[in-house]
């Protein structure tokens, strides 16, 4: 069993910055394949914000490219999302997700955090 613990989000004025973290924990984790951040605003579908793949490849949504940076600490099994130059339309619930292979399983599985609220005021 894998658990994801997300840091608290926060409120910031437009142009400000926030940093989110997500740590995966569990007794049987064998390998973390990738870690991602998603977000969802009211009335909108959940969208991928940033993904850090095994091997170092990174993907970003067009709307955040150049402003957000995803990083990963494999030793701590933690993903970070540095958000700079925040805009009001960045507001929403941010979710961490991780694809993990456990020692007891042949295949990997996806796990989701509970989400953390980010609010950007104009």
């Amino acid at each position: 069993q894998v658990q994801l613990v997300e840091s608290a989000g926060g409120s910031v004025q437009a142009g400000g910055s926030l940093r989110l973290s997500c740590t995966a924990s569990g007794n049987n984790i064998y390998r973390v394949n990738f870690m991602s951040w998603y977000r969802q605003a009211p009335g909108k579908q959940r969208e991928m914000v940033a993904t850090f793949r095994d091997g170092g490849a990174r993907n970003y949504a067009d709307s955040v490219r150049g402003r957000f940076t995803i990083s990963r600490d494999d030793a701590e099994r933690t993903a970070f999302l540095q958000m700079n130059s925040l805009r009001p339309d960045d507001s929403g619930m941010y979710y961490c997700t991780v694809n993990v292979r456990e020692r007891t399983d042949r295949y990997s599985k996806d796990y989701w955090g509970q989400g953390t609220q980010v609010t950007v005021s104009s």
Side-chain angles (χ1 to χ4, degrees), residues 5 20-24 35 71-80:
V5 178
L20 306 179
S21 67
C22 172
T23 299
M35 305 185 79
S71 59
R72 174 174 166 176
D73 185 335
D74 288 335
E76 298 295 328
R77 295 169 176 166
T78 300
F80 302 92

Side-chain angles (χ1 to χ4, degrees), residues 56-99:
R58 297 169 175 84
N59 294 321
Y60 295 96
D62 290 340
S63 60
V64 308
R65 187 174 290 109
R67 299 186 297 117
F68 290 12
T69 302
I70 186 170
S71 59
R72 174 174 166 176
D73 185 335
D74 288 335
E76 298 295 328
R77 295 169 176 166
T78 300
F80 302 92
L81 185 67
Q82 179 67 45
M83 303 182 291
N84 298 325
S85 301
L86 283 163
R87 307 165 181 168
D89 58 2
D90 291 320
S91 299
M93 189 72 69
Y94 283 69
Y95 298 89
C96 173
T97 184
V98 58
N99 184 264

Side-chain angles (χ1 to χ4, degrees), residues 37-69:
W37 289 95
Y38 284 71
R39 69 185 181 188
Q40 186 170 23
K44 297 183 179 180
Q45 294 183 339
R46 186 176 299 182
E47 64 175 346
M48 191 277 292
V49 176
T51 297
F52 195 128
R53 301 188 180 279
D54 188 29
R58 297 169 175 84
N59 294 321
Y60 295 96
D62 290 340
S63 60
V64 308
R65 187 174 290 109
R67 299 186 297 117
F68 290 12
T69 302

